[in-house]
Amino acid sequence: MTQTVKLILEDGTLIEGESFGAYTSAAGEVVFSTAMTGYPENLTDPSFAGQILVLTYPMVGNYGVPGEELYESISRIFESDKVHVAGLVVNYYSQEHSHWHAAKSLGDWLKEYNIPGICGVDTRLLTKKLREQGALLGKIVAEEDIPMHDPNLENLVAQVSPAGVQHYGHGQHKIVLVDCGTKTNIIRCFLERDVELIRVPWDYDFTQLDYDGLFLSNGPGDPKMCQATIGHLQKALQQDKPIFGICLGSQLMGLAAGGDTFKLKYGHRSHNQPVKLTGTQRSYITSQNHGYAVDPTTLPSEWTMLFENLNDGTCEGIQHQTKPFFSTQFHPEAAGGPQDTEFLFDQFLDEVEKYKQASNA
Ligand SMILES: NC(=O)CC[C@H](N)C(=O)O
C-alpha cells in the first residue's frame, strides 16, 4: 500500500510524493547532491546530520544496501555507524534491488533508523529552486505536522562526535584525529599507511598529548559552533607539528588562523567538483559535501589558498607559507567519489616524517 507524504519548504512550496523508508515526519535543511551513486556512503556521512538530502540521480535504490563488515573495529563499508541524514528525497525509488553485496533494500535500511524518504518528486525542478533561492529549510510531513527546524543553529558536531578516546593501528607515526564527525574512510586511509591513530572527541584538549601530526576531520553544521576545537587548534598553530584538515577541518583551520568562513548559496555536493592547485595548471576532480567555505581574503598574510574550485572560484583548501599546515575543502578520502587526491595523505605523512627527523637531529 502506498502512503502519501508531503515535502514542504520554508518558501511555501508544497510537493506531494510517496513515502518510502519510515512513515514519519522530519525537518531540516534541504540540500541536493548530484552524485550519481554512493547513497550508502552519503547517508552515513555524519556531515549530513540535520539535512534532508535530495538526490538528483533519477533512480535510487536499485543496488540496495550492503551488509556490514568490520575492519579494525570500524566499518569497512559505511562512513559511520548510522544513517545521519534527516530525510531523503528522490525521483524514482526502485523497490527492487540487485547487487552481489546487497543485504537489504534502501527503504528497509531507512526504516531501521526511523528516517523518512519521499519519492515521486521532480528532483530537477526542486534542485533548480534550491540553486536559485539557495538551500532552504524544509520538512517531510507524514501524518503529524512538525515545525521547521534550522540545524545550523545547533552544535551538530557535539552530537556526532564520540564520547571518548579510541586507539587504532600500530604504525610509526602517531597521529591525533580530532573527530568532529569523521568519515570512516579517513580512518581507513590512515590505517593503510604507517600510522598509530588516536581518535579524540571534538572538544578534547589534544595539546596535552604526545603526537607527531594532527588531523582535523569533516563534520556537520556551521564551523563557528566548534569554538572549543578552534581554541585548541590555535595552540597547535603556535607549534611546528604538521596539521592536515579536511572539509570542516579546513574551515576550522581557517578560523583558528584568524580568517573567516561564510555560507555558500547552495553548497557543493557531488563527486565531480573540479579544483585547481594554486600556482599550477593542474586540476583534480574531487568528491565534495559542504555548505560553508573559508573566505581567503580574510586570511592573515602567512596563509594562502591551496586549491580553488573551478566552477565558482571559492576556496578549496588553505596552507601556511612556512609551516607544514594545510587543508582541503574537498574529500581526498572520497567514499564515494574519485580517489585521485588520496596522495594528500602521503604528503601529510611525508611532512610528519620530515618533522620527526628535524626534531631528532
Ligand atoms: N563535509 C564537511 O565537513 C562539511 C563541513 C561543513 N559542515 C559544511 O557544510 O561546510
Side-chain angles (χ1 to χ4, degrees):
M1 193 190 74
T2 60
Q3 287 169 302
T4 303
V5 276
K6 291 179 223 136
L7 173 68
I8 301 174
L9 304 181
E10 63 176 314
D11 70 347
T13 305
L14 189 154
I15 301 171
E16 282 205 344
E18 241 173 62
S19 166
F20 74 105
Y23 181 66
T24 185
S25 304
E29 181 187 23
V30 183
V31 298
F32 66 89
S33 168
T34 57
M36 292 171 72
T37 111
Y39 56 81
E41 291 89 344
N42 269 333
L43 268 54
T44 54
D45 176 351
S47 300
F48 277 114
Q51 294 177 326
I52 295 178
L53 178 62
V54 181
L55 297 178
T56 59
Y57 192 72
M59 181 198 263
V60 179
N62 53 337
Y63 63 96
V65 175
E68 180 59 301
E69 286 167 27
L70 290 183
Y71 159 81
E72 299 255 2
S73 78
I74 55 160
S75 173
R76 185 187 288 280
I77 307 293
F78 300 107
E79 289 308 302
S80 70
D81 57 6
K82 61 179 257 195
V83 172
H84 279 281
V85 298
L88 186 64
V89 182
V90 306
N91 179 358
Y92 180 79
Y93 169 59
S94 175
Q95 305 265 0
E96 293 186 12
H97 64 268
S98 169
H99 191 278
W100 66 271
H101 206 191
K104 60 188 85 164
S105 72
L106 172 59
D108 284 346
W109 191 46
L110 290 178
K111 271 187 201 148
E112 267 173 46
Y113 293 97
N114 199 33
I115 306 294
I118 175 170
C119 61
V121 173
D122 183 345
T123 47
R124 287 204 296 186
L125 184 79
L126 181 57
T127 300
K128 275 189 176 169
K129 185 180 269 295
L130 296 173
R131 282 178 59 105
E132 275 155 28
Q133 287 173 236
L136 292 169
L137 298 185
K139 53 187 177 179
I140 296 176
V141 178
E143 228 153 323
E144 187 201 354
D145 196 7
I146 52 168
M148 290 289 179
H149 170 67
D150 185 352
N152 295 316
L153 301 178
E154 279 172 61
N155 186 344
L156 296 167
V157 164
Q159 295 171 26
V160 301
S161 180
V165 178
Q166 285 153 294
H167 292 257
Y168 308 86
H170 303 282
Q172 276 192 56
H173 305 309
K174 208 184 255 192
I175 305 298
V176 167
L177 180 154
V178 183
D179 185 349
C180 295
T182 195
K183 289 172 66 189
T184 44
N185 208 38
I186 290 174
I187 300 177
R188 291 180 212 115
C189 283
F190 277 121
L191 295 182
E192 280 157 16
R193 292 167 170 84
D194 195 9
V195 163
E196 177 190 340
L197 206 59
I198 310 163
R199 177 184 189 179
V200 303
W202 72 284
D203 56 351
Y204 190 88
D205 185 3
F206 53 81
T207 59
Q208 308 301 320
L209 298 173
D210 169 34
Y211 62 90
D212 305 318
L214 179 65
F215 176 82
L216 311 162
S217 84
N218 63 293
D222 185 339
K224 288 179 186 163
M225 291 288 170
C226 299
Q227 289 306 324
T229 326
I230 295 168
H232 296 138
L233 191 48
Q234 276 165 341
K235 286 193 208 158
L237 292 177
Q238 302 303 316
Q239 303 179 354
D240 298 317
K241 286 184 191 174
I243 312 177
F244 177 25
I246 291 180
C247 212
L248 183 89
S250 178
Q251 298 161 0
L252 296 178
M253 202 185 280
L255 290 168
D260 200 7
T261 53
F262 66 101
K263 195 165 195 295
L264 296 165
K265 191 172 176 192
Y266 48 83
H268 301 154
R269 294 176 187 84
S270 76
H271 294 161
N272 61 350
Q273 293 278 332
V275 302
K276 187 164 85 73
L277 178 62
T278 303
T280 72
Q281 288 302 316
R282 183 175 284 269
S283 64
Y284 300 95
I285 298 297
T286 65
S287 176
Q288 299 199 12
N289 166 24
H290 63 110
Y292 293 83
V294 172
D295 176 353
T297 64
T298 62
L299 289 171
S301 58
E302 19 359 316
W303 290 82
T304 51
M305 183 152 88
L306 180 57
F307 292 97
E308 176 191 346
N309 188 298
L310 286 169
N311 288 335
D312 63 9
T314 54
C315 177
E316 288 288 352
I318 60 175
Q319 76 174 335
H320 193 277
Q321 304 261 41
T322 54
K323 294 188 181 193
F325 306 155
F326 74 100
S327 70
T328 64
Q329 188 59 64
F330 56 86
H331 289 274
E333 83 288 0
Q339 296 161 348
D340 307 24
T341 53
E342 201 184 307
F343 67 86
L344 291 167
F345 285 90
D346 299 309
Q347 285 194 357
F348 170 59
L349 294 175
D350 287 348
E351 291 298 340
V352 169
E353 180 63 40
K354 264 195 253 165
Y355 164 78
K356 283 163 71 175
Q357 278 176 10
S359 41
N360 287 336

